[in-house]
Amino acid sequence: MDDDRLVRKEIHFRGRVQGVGFRQTTLDIASRFDVAGTVENLADGQVLLIVEGRAAEVRSFVAAIESEMGRFIAGVDVQESPPTGKFADFRIRY
């Protein structure tokens, strides 16, 4: 089943996504899903999310972020690539 395949997504969130608790909220949301990866602020004002997991879990996780933080998000760029398996958990990257 396609929802069970492992995926990796790199997602850039644009808008007023720094200084609003975006990373901590993303970390809290991640605890509700079987995903691994990182979230970090970028120097250009964006937030970068790298997430790996089963396609259905990743899709639901990202939807939850957009639902809870959507008022701060002006744009989203998504790149999908093969998972690396390098993440053991989900954490904020500083």
Side-chain angles (χ1 to χ4, degrees):
M1 186 179 261
D2 205 38
D3 281 351
D4 286 336
R5 72 184 171 92
L6 294 176
V7 298
R8 172 189 174 100
K9 291 191 178 189
E10 292 188 23
I11 304 173
H12 287 86
F13 292 96
R14 296 184 315 280
R16 193 164 55 93
V17 292
Q18 291 190 15
V20 295
F22 199 98
R23 291 175 302 161
Q24 185 61 51
T25 300
T26 299
L27 180 66
D28 294 345
I29 293 169
S31 70
R32 305 192 312 246
F33 296 92
D34 185 18
V35 295
T38 61
V39 62
E40 68 179 293
N41 285 342
L42 299 179
D44 64 3
Q46 296 184 81
V47 169
L48 172 61
L49 168 68
I50 301 174
V51 59
E52 294 186 355
R54 302 221 175 274
E57 283 290 295
V58 169
R59 187 170 45 252
S60 296
F61 170 55
V62 173
I65 294 168
E66 291 174 342
S67 174
E68 292 189 36
M69 300 303 288
R71 66 191 178 279
F72 302 112
I73 300 169
V76 178
D77 296 313
V78 181
Q79 292 184 338
E80 189 169 322
S81 59
T84 64
K86 79 175 197 175
F87 302 110
D89 56 12
F90 193 90
R91 61 184 58 198
I92 295 173
R93 188 168 171 205
Y94 296 96

